[in-house]
Amino acid sequence: MQSSDEVLSSKLATTAATINHSILLDSEVQQARTLLSDAENTLSELNEALKVLAARRDGQEELIRKYRIALAPHKRLAPELLSEIFLHCLSTTCSYSTLIPPKKTDAPWVLGQVCAGWRAISRADPRLWCPTKMSIYDRPPRHLARACELLPPVAKLSVTFTGPAALVTVALIPYLWRIQDLTLRMGIAGYDELFQSVSPEDFVTLQSADFCVIDGASEDITLRWERPGGIFSLASRLRQLKIETAGGFPISKLGIPLGKITSLNISGVRELTSSTQAIFSTLRDCHWLESLDVSFSPHDLDPIENTLYLPRLQSLGVRNHLPSLFMKSSIWDNLSSLNLLSVLSLDSCTLSIILRQSVNLVELHCQCPERGAVTSLTRDLPLPSLRKLSLKNVVDTWLFDSLIVPSLRELLIQSTQVPLNPPAIRNLLVCSGTKLSLFWFQSTHPQKTISPTDLRDLLDAIPTAVHFEDTHSLLDDAILKDISSGALLPQLEFLRCWPETQEAFLDTVEARVRCAPGSPQPNRTLQQAFGVSQIGVRVPHLTSASYLRLGKLRMREGLVCSLYPSLAIWDEYQD
């Protein structure tokens, strides 16, 4: 049997709480107030108990979180593996940085905000820090100071200074200790101020130096007083050196560690180019040299030395004259790149000997002088490893008739004297069994258009070409039609040519963008197309229809395309 309190509690929870006209008796009101007070006390006790339980729950959650952190798999990763993971955080759109201070949300800066361990790993790996390049000419000196403050020691800092001599001591010298790559474009007064104000400790981190005297003066850069051993005596990391000046440059007095230099370009130093003996005296100490660019005077006598020992030389550039001592040395055996620029003393016999000794050549660049002595070469001259052949002002077919280049992939020809010779080039490619991927030709020679038959035969000999560029030869509508169908140049991705008509060029581009079906070989999608004209030839104005078709190709197809752009100057091929 229920007690009176239970009966009243049931009444309060049902009829009295849900029916508006249910009114309690006077005797029930006091009893109901007592029940309400008891219920409020019970609720308060439960809330206190919940607070205790919630605190215990939060404590257990925090303990579980710490346990999980302690057992996290990434904490057991070696620093080397973490560095490899960090590499995947880097942006692939930029190979260098110019933003100081940087965006804190970009890697590798954001990695250093996670913890001290990650910060130490990220700041110790030079692969995570792309070279930071800046110029004192267009940036105030405070940016260089900020870069020295923020960048870790392993980050490479490249600085180009083109300011006046008055800024040398303020904007450059205080930060030399932090610069790895230094490019100077100053007058003689700037170099005089620099060399008199610095100390050997300022160049401890220097790895690459490029010194250029921009005022063109023929005076020598002088040292008013010399430091023991030279100001570069502590530059033990210096590996690349380039000097360009119309006057003298005190190389021997600066203490440059020539024995550690791997790349040397002294073709622009007057005191050296006028003295073959001075050049060989400099090269005598360069036993680690891998790349050399040098200029010899054709009016100077051969040096007294009878040997030249450069066992690691792989790239050689020679200008104006080739001393006989070079021919007697063993430098040709290991060469992978050879650049001959207007060598007046080069005759057919000498060039044949050079090429026969340079069997490991991968790149050959040859610029013939206007009055060259090379008229022919021996037949069947093999260069089995040659992949890039660059020729300038080759006035005859002697080179094409002699070489055998089965590995050739890039052929670049520039000329101011003769037009393109398709039969000679085709003979070189066919006889060598070459699978050419890049063909580039440009000439300023004002001569009538090449025979369409010869040009078609040349294009038919390079079916593997991905890049074709010729702004001197007129491509008629028939040739463009075969290109659009894939009968010619089926692998083409880049096209720059002189089309006969606007319509034929646009028809070709549209067909190749959509990969025309039924072609003899699988077509690649055309990525870039430029219709230009021979230098000096007036081009017609674009019609409204051509403008509309160009717009659709750019917007709808996403193609980099233009027709009849400005071509008023000589173009140099960009590697």
Side-chain angles (χ1 to χ4, degrees):
M1 185 175 182
Q2 292 181 336
S3 63
S4 60
D5 290 342
E6 292 176 347
V7 174
L8 180 59
S9 176
S10 176
K11 180 179 179 180
L12 293 174
T14 53
T15 57
T18 57
I19 301 176
N20 191 41
H21 61 268
S22 178
I23 301 174
L24 296 177
L25 300 176
D26 293 342
S27 59
E28 295 176 333
V29 171
Q30 185 61 36
Q31 188 178 0
R33 288 175 178 172
T34 302
L35 294 175
L36 175 61
S37 178
D38 293 341
E40 290 175 346
N41 291 335
T42 301
L43 178 61
S44 179
E45 293 175 357
L46 292 175
N47 287 334
E48 292 296 329
L50 285 176
K51 289 180 181 180
V52 174
L53 292 175
R56 291 180 59 187
R57 180 198 60 193
D58 294 341
Q60 290 298 316
E61 289 180 348
E62 179 66 16
L63 190 61
I64 291 172
R65 187 184 68 84
K66 291 181 178 180
Y67 287 166
R68 287 175 175 172
I69 292 177
L71 296 173
H74 74 271
K75 297 191 68 175
R76 301 176 60 86
L77 295 177
E80 296 80 7
L81 187 55
L82 278 175
S83 292
E84 293 295 329
I85 296 175
F86 291 166
L87 285 175
H88 293 277
C89 301
L90 301 179
S91 173
T92 59
T93 59
C94 183
S95 59
Y96 62 91
S97 171
T98 57
L99 187 59
I100 296 292
K103 294 181 179 179
K104 296 300 180 64
T105 57
D106 292 343
W109 301 97
V110 70
L111 299 174
Q113 302 175 20
V114 176
C115 64
W118 281 28
R119 185 182 307 112
I121 294 174
S122 63
R123 291 178 67 86
D125 191 345
R127 300 175 302 170
L128 298 176
W129 303 89
C130 57
T132 300
K133 297 183 180 180
M134 56 180 54
S135 173
I136 304 301
Y137 179 80
D138 55 16
R139 285 180 178 269
R142 66 176 181 271
H143 286 85
L144 182 55
R146 186 63 170 161
C148 295
E149 176 186 352
L150 292 178
L151 292 173
V154 298
K156 199 169 188 178
L157 181 58
S158 301
V159 174
T160 300
F161 182 84
T162 56
L167 285 180
V168 171
T169 56
V170 178
L172 179 63
I173 293 180
Y175 312 105
L176 285 175
W177 62 272
R178 183 59 184 80
I179 299 174
Q180 282 83 13
D181 295 343
L182 178 61
T183 301
L184 299 181
R185 299 286 184 266
M186 303 187 299
I188 292 178
Y191 286 99
D192 287 340
E193 181 66 28
L194 173 68
F195 292 149
Q196 307 307 326
S197 303
V198 297
S199 64
E201 291 76 12
D202 292 328
F203 296 109
V204 172
T205 61
L206 190 64
Q207 300 175 8
S208 173
D210 185 349
F211 301 137
C212 178
V213 180
I214 61 176
D215 55 14
S218 59
E219 294 86 355
D220 295 346
I221 296 176
T222 59
L223 294 178
R224 291 191 292 270
W225 58 282
E226 299 180 25
R227 301 176 185 272
I231 60 175
F232 288 95
S233 58
L234 297 181
S236 59
R237 300 182 183 180
L238 184 61
R239 297 294 181 268
Q240 300 180 10
L241 177 63
K242 181 180 180 181
I243 304 174
E244 297 181 27
T245 175
F249 201 91
I251 295 180
S252 59
K253 298 180 181 180
L254 292 177
I256 297 175
L258 296 175
K260 298 183 178 181
I261 296 293
T262 59
S263 177
L264 180 63
N265 186 337
I266 52 175
S267 60
V269 183
R270 188 200 63 179
E271 68 171 281
L272 293 180
T273 57
S274 60
S275 174
T276 304
Q277 179 64 49
I279 294 178
F280 276 85
S281 298
T282 301
L283 297 179
R284 182 176 52 197
D285 300 325
C286 301
H287 299 310
W288 289 86
L289 203 58
E290 298 177 357
S291 176
L292 173 63
D293 196 337
V294 64
S295 177
F296 295 99
S297 172
H299 308 293
D300 194 26
L301 299 176
D302 283 347
I304 300 175
E305 289 93 341
N306 55 12
T307 58
L308 180 63
Y309 185 63
L310 298 174
R312 300 178 181 273
L313 192 65
Q314 298 180 9
S315 176
L316 174 64
V318 181
R319 304 169 188 263
N320 300 327
H321 175 65
L322 186 63
S324 59
L325 182 57
F326 259 61
M327 298 300 304
K328 301 175 183 178
S329 66
S330 59
I331 61 174
W332 312 102
D333 299 339
N334 298 324
L335 280 186
S336 60
S337 176
L338 177 61
N339 194 347
L340 301 174
L341 299 177
S342 300
V343 181
L344 296 174
S345 60
L346 192 65
D347 56 22
S348 303
C349 181
T350 302
L351 183 57
S352 297
I353 294 174
I354 290 175
L355 295 181
R356 286 198 179 277
Q357 291 179 336
S358 307
V359 294
N360 295 317
L361 274 184
V362 177
E363 296 186 10
L364 173 61
H365 308 265
C366 185
Q367 176 180 340
C368 296
E370 294 183 0
R371 298 181 300 276
V374 180
T375 57
S376 63
L377 290 177
T378 57
R379 291 285 180 176
D380 299 334
L381 190 60
L383 292 175
S385 302
L386 193 70
R387 297 184 63 86
K388 183 175 182 179
L389 177 60
S390 177
L391 305 174
K392 189 171 184 179
N393 293 341
V394 177
V395 298
D396 208 340
T397 63
W398 49 265
L399 193 59
F400 299 128
D401 296 337
S402 304
L403 294 181
I404 299 178
V405 284
S407 301
L408 189 66
R409 295 296 179 266
E410 300 181 17
L411 178 60
L412 301 93
I413 306 174
Q414 302 178 25
S415 178
T416 58
Q417 303 177 22
V418 295
L420 183 66
N421 191 329
I425 298 175
R426 184 182 184 279
N427 181 65
L428 168 70
L429 301 177
V430 172
C431 293
S432 300
T434 300
K435 296 181 179 180
L436 202 67
S437 61
L438 184 148
F439 179 84
W440 185 89
F441 175 78
Q442 190 171 67
S443 174
T444 56
H445 186 272
Q447 188 158 327
K448 63 181 181 180
T449 307
I450 297 171
S451 165
T453 303
D454 292 341
L455 188 57
R456 180 186 294 274
D457 291 341
L458 173 60
L459 298 181
D460 189 53
I462 52 175
T464 57
V466 177
H467 183 121
F468 180 83
E469 193 165 352
D470 179 5
T471 59
H472 182 81
S473 310
L474 181 66
L475 295 187
D476 60 21
D477 291 354
I479 293 180
L480 287 173
K481 185 176 180 180
D482 287 341
I483 295 177
S484 66
S485 66
L488 294 176
L489 304 177
Q491 306 297 324
L492 195 63
E493 293 182 358
F494 182 101
L495 173 64
R496 191 179 188 192
C497 65
W498 178 19
E500 182 179 14
T501 62
Q502 303 176 23
E503 293 76 13
F505 173 78
L506 292 173
D507 289 343
T508 300
V509 174
E510 290 174 348
R512 293 304 295 265
V513 167
R514 301 186 180 95
C515 293
S519 59
Q521 300 183 29
N523 275 345
R524 296 189 182 183
T525 303
L526 194 64
Q527 304 294 329
Q528 300 183 51
F530 304 94
V532 298
S533 70
Q534 187 186 54
I535 295 177
V537 175
R538 182 181 295 275
V539 298
H541 293 290
L542 286 179
T543 63
S544 300
S546 297
Y547 269 120
L548 182 61
R549 296 175 70 181
L550 272 175
K552 289 182 178 179
L553 286 170
R554 293 169 181 168
M555 298 298 294
R556 185 180 303 172
E557 307 293 345
L559 181 71
V560 180
C561 181
S562 65
L563 186 57
Y564 301 142
S566 174
L567 191 62
I569 60 174
W570 180 274
D571 283 345
E572 292 289 341
Y573 177 75
Q574 302 296 327
D575 288 324

